Amino acid sequence: MMLSLSQQVRSRMNVIELCSQGQFPLTQNVTVVEGGTAILTCRVDQNDNTSLQWSNPAQQTLYFDDKKALRDNRIELVRASWHELSISVSDVSLSDEGQYTCSLFTMPVKTSKAYLTVLGVPEKPQISGFSSPVMEGDLMQLTCKTSGSKPAADIRWFKNDKEIKDVKYLKEEDANRKTFTVSSTLDFRVDRSDDGVAVICRVDHESLNATPQVAMQVLEIHYTPSVKIIPSTPFPQEGQPLILTCESKGKPLPEPVLWTKDGGELPDPDRMVVSGRELNILFLNKTDNGTYRCEATNTIGQSSAEYVLIVHDPNALAGQNGPDHALIGGIVAVVVFVTLCSIFLLGRYLARHKGTYLTNEAKGAEDAPDADTAIINAEGSQVNAEEKKEYFI
């Protein structure tokens, strides 16, 4: 069946419209780290040999099909065909950020936008505010700062691998009006447990690929000595040696310790020998009883500890440690008494339940003249037997 001219024109216009609907460029937004390489890709599913073009935010043509239009050594062709035009931009800078346009030269021209986002990498953080050494009890203020991040970086503090939440945060725009300088301030009062502790400032940013940048500050805290006296035995005995050790901790390290007895010098230097932090008493006797003091001093201050010495008699200790004979004798006496009482009670019980017996008098055998009479008397006396019973009591 032949179509009329108007029908043929209408049919051809429908085909052109369908082809036009398939001829539409497709692009995607791209994010790249400053200094990296960005790939811009434009695709067309259906293309009847129509040209493709990429242009930058300034509307300068970068590539027209496979022909380079802008003299920039950083821009290279990746792939060019009727269905795709891909280019690369290397060593990307913050100024490259913006909206790029892919154009398909149909009638009319169709375009698609792709936004290039450039991430500014934060500089390595720096910690300021620490001056060594710090005295115990002082208030310390540490500040961590990093510049060049886009968007603004996040700063976190850690002490002994435990995060500290109560900090101050400040964000400022850099002179280029693209990147930011961020800083965080940490305030805390130090004590001796902070000596040697590492305080860490960590910078997190999406440009760092899950590998944060860190700065570390090891604290040095000065504090007065702490003193403790440790004896070599818990029960010093007469005639035996004794060693008293003075444990002192402080920063700076305490000077050699000073030993005294009852507020004065050691009374017998020949028997009482000081070696470093130890007091050695060679042979104990009762005159050694008393209060011994150890004093430790550094540039921050002085501290001391005391130990009360009581010399024990070895024989008394041996008696205390031997068996208690009185206690053992008391226990034996109780056991014997309980045993005798048990025997006595058992005898009474058996006696009460042994039964009754008939005496010769009750049986009638005692006064019978002969055996036959005795038997008759015995049988006749059974009636009155209950009256002649005897019981053991």
Side-chain angles (χ1 to χ4, degrees):
M1 179 179 179
M2 297 296 294
L3 297 175
S4 64
L5 180 59
S6 61
Q7 289 175 329
Q8 292 179 9
V9 171
R10 191 179 298 111
S11 177
R12 184 167 295 183
M13 290 178 65
N14 290 337
V15 172
I16 293 174
E17 184 178 356
L18 289 173
C19 292
S20 177
Q21 290 177 355
Q23 288 181 281
F24 196 89
L26 301 174
T27 58
Q28 287 184 332
N29 295 332
V30 177
T31 299
V32 64
V33 176
E34 184 180 10
T37 299
I39 304 295
L40 299 173
T41 299
C42 180
R43 291 188 174 89
V44 181
D45 291 337
Q46 297 180 12
N47 191 358
D48 55 352
N49 300 336
T50 302
S51 296
L52 290 170
Q53 172 187 288
W54 271 113
S55 56
N56 63 14
Q59 295 303 312
Q60 295 173 312
T61 301
L62 303 179
Y63 264 89
F64 185 83
D65 288 338
D66 59 353
K67 298 176 181 61
K68 190 173 185 177
L70 185 67
R71 292 184 178 180
D72 188 338
N73 294 331
R74 300 179 306 129
I75 302 175
E76 298 290 341
L77 179 65
V78 176
R79 181 181 176 85
S81 68
W82 296 119
H83 298 283
E84 179 182 338
L85 178 60
S86 295
I87 63 174
S88 66
V89 182
S90 60
D91 194 19
V92 173
S93 65
L94 294 174
S95 60
D96 292 322
E97 185 173 89
Q99 189 167 264
Y100 289 73
T101 304
C102 174
S103 302
L104 177 64
F105 285 89
T106 56
M107 292 299 291
V109 177
K110 297 177 180 178
T111 60
S112 180
K113 308 293 184 180
Y115 196 90
L116 175 62
T117 300
V118 181
L119 301 177
V121 182
E123 298 175 359
K124 183 175 177 60
Q126 300 291 332
I127 296 179
S128 60
F130 179 78
S131 57
S132 180
V134 179
M135 300 298 122
E136 183 179 26
D138 286 354
L139 182 64
M140 179 178 291
Q141 185 177 85
L142 299 179
T143 299
C144 180
K145 179 182 289 187
T146 179
S147 301
S149 60
K150 178 183 170 294
D154 183 33
I155 294 180
R156 301 165 68 185
W157 287 96
F158 294 86
K159 179 182 174 186
N160 273 345
D161 296 327
K162 183 178 180 180
E163 185 172 2
I164 304 174
K165 297 289 188 179
D166 188 16
V167 297
K168 301 175 183 176
Y169 182 82
L170 179 64
K171 178 178 69 174
E172 297 177 326
E173 192 175 59
D174 293 335
N176 60 14
R177 304 184 66 84
K178 293 180 179 294
T179 59
F180 295 89
T181 294
V182 293
S183 61
S184 179
T185 302
L186 170 65
D187 297 309
F188 64 100
R189 197 169 297 278
V190 300
D191 57 35
R192 62 188 60 198
S193 65
D194 293 320
D195 184 50
V197 169
V199 176
I200 295 175
C201 161
R202 191 176 88 181
V203 175
D204 293 318
H205 194 263
E206 54 188 302
S207 67
L208 299 177
N209 295 324
T211 305
Q213 292 184 345
V214 297
M216 183 175 65
Q217 179 64 63
V218 179
L219 304 182
E220 182 182 0
I221 312 299
H222 283 193
Y223 54 94
T224 57
S226 60
V227 183
K228 180 171 64 173
I229 298 177
I230 302 176
S232 59
T233 175
F235 298 103
Q237 299 182 34
E238 190 172 8
Q240 294 186 354
L242 175 66
I243 300 177
L244 299 179
T245 302
C246 181
E247 280 194 356
S248 60
K249 298 179 181 179
K251 196 164 188 179
L253 191 67
E255 301 170 358
V257 299
L258 175 64
W259 284 97
T260 59
K261 179 179 182 291
D262 296 330
E265 296 182 355
L266 299 176
D268 192 348
D270 293 334
R271 281 191 313 110
M272 301 179 177
V273 181
V274 176
S275 176
R277 302 182 183 279
E278 294 181 348
L279 171 59
N280 296 272
I281 305 177
L282 302 182
F283 302 100
L284 291 173
N285 57 52
K286 294 293 185 178
T287 62
D288 296 328
N289 289 340
T291 301
Y292 292 78
R293 177 189 292 267
C294 168
E295 296 182 357
T297 305
N298 62 9
T299 57
I300 309 302
Q302 179 266 341
S303 185
S304 64
E306 293 184 346
Y307 172 78
V308 177
L309 173 60
I310 300 176
V311 179
H312 298 275
D313 186 349
N315 297 326
L317 287 177
Q320 293 176 4
N321 295 331
D324 193 335
H325 297 289
L327 178 62
I328 295 176
I331 294 174
V332 171
V334 171
V335 172
V336 171
F337 177 76
V338 171
T339 303
L340 292 176
C341 290
S342 300
I343 294 174
F344 177 74
L345 294 175
L346 180 61
R348 284 176 58 87
Y349 176 82
L350 294 177
R352 286 178 175 275
H353 293 80
K354 184 176 181 182
T356 61
Y357 71 97
L358 298 176
T359 62
N360 290 332
E361 182 181 359
K363 293 180 181 179
E366 185 68 23
D367 299 327
D370 53 36
D372 292 336
T373 304
I375 292 174
I376 294 172
N377 291 340
E379 292 176 351
S381 63
Q382 292 295 327
V383 177
N384 300 321
E386 292 297 330
E387 299 176 359
K388 297 182 179 182
K389 288 181 181 178
E390 293 184 0
Y391 294 89
F392 284 118
I393 299 177

